[in-house]
Amino acid sequence: MQPADRRLPLLNEMQRLTDEGKHCAACPGHCCTAVANSMQTTPLETQDVLNYLRETGRWNEDLKTALRASVTKFRLDQIPGNGKRSYLRRTYDCPFFAGQSLGCTIPREVKPYGCLGFNPTAPLESEGKSCGSDQNLLAQREESWTGEAEANEELRKKYRLWWVKLPLPLALLEADQAGF
Ligand code: SF4
Ligand code: SF4
């Protein structure tokens, strides 16, 4: 299944909310910065982003340096646990956030599921007060494709990954190093 197909229920809901004026255009991007962002990705989600970055020529030394700086600054590699459970989710400025006017530089079709499922529920939201994660929709998406868990397990076995979910900057570096 293609990355966009796995995201379809989330993309449809985002579009529905946007059509009702419930979008992020007026917000400085609280959920993409250390104010509220603690996004973690599975191997499959990480692969989607990494493939996109490679295909578009963005997977270069500058980006890797920025990702390493993010890991160091926000201590993303110092999360207690073994990557299977996170007892503490660290918040961090997402390196893919380009500021309020440009927003996220990762296209919707490959964006982490959690990013797509977190949306405003009021028009012209600017402070993030009405925003939240649509857990039901995220669960529905997971149920709509039963191959997800298997695909993640295959990647974990194939590349001998020690982790199930990691903060996006660290996940990308680990995936690259593992040979994705
Ligand atoms: S989801 Fe909410 S907090 Fe995040 S950028 Fe959009 S309006 Fe701001
Ligand atoms: S990937 Fe995009 S939407 Fe998700 S936290 Fe980073 S900048 Fe925000």
Side-chain angles (χ1 to χ4, degrees):
M1 194 180 265
Q2 293 300 307
D5 297 329
R6 281 186 268 112
R7 288 163 175 77
L8 204 55
L10 301 171
L11 296 174
N12 288 342
E13 177 61 3
M14 261 185 107
Q15 190 56 55
R16 190 190 69 75
L17 289 167
T18 300
D19 291 345
E20 290 178 359
K22 297 163 185 167
H23 49 66
C24 307
C27 179
H30 302 297
C31 66
C32 297
T33 68
V35 173
N37 169 48
S38 62
M39 187 54 54
Q40 298 190 336
T41 53
T42 60
L44 188 60
E45 290 171 275
T46 307
Q47 187 177 56
D48 291 340
V49 178
L50 188 57
N51 284 346
Y52 158 77
L53 292 169
R54 286 184 175 141
E55 284 161 16
T56 53
R58 288 178 62 191
W59 187 249
N60 54 35
E61 283 312 311
D62 284 352
L63 177 57
K64 286 185 220 175
T65 301
L67 295 176
R68 285 188 205 107
S70 173
V71 169
T72 303
K73 180 175 179 184
F74 297 101
R75 296 187 295 146
L76 301 180
D77 55 352
Q78 294 175 36
I79 297 169
N82 57 5
K84 293 187 179 165
R85 280 189 225 160
S86 283
Y87 303 105
L88 173 70
R89 284 178 75 119
R90 292 201 190 281
T91 55
Y92 62 95
D93 293 335
C94 182
F96 298 105
F97 183 62
Q100 183 178 354
S101 55
L102 293 173
C104 177
T105 60
I106 301 293
R108 290 178 176 192
E109 291 71 25
V110 295
K111 213 184 280 245
Y113 306 139
C115 298
L116 296 170
F118 193 92
N119 290 294
T121 58
L124 299 175
E125 178 61 61
S126 62
E127 295 178 26
K129 285 185 181 161
S130 78
C131 305
S133 209
D134 191 334
Q135 293 298 330
N136 286 340
L137 188 61
L138 285 163
Q140 269 174 37
R141 191 214 64 81
E142 232 174 283
E143 284 159 17
S144 70
W145 183 49
T146 50
E148 183 99 13
E150 245 170 60
N152 273 311
E153 207 39 50
E154 271 173 31
L155 286 171
R156 292 193 69 231
K157 274 193 192 139
K158 182 174 177 187
Y159 296 106
R160 299 180 182 196
L161 306 180
W162 56 272
W163 50 280
V164 172
K165 265 190 163 194
L166 284 177
L168 180 57
L170 182 59
L172 287 166
L173 292 168
E174 287 284 336
D176 182 53
Q177 201 172 27
F180 271 43

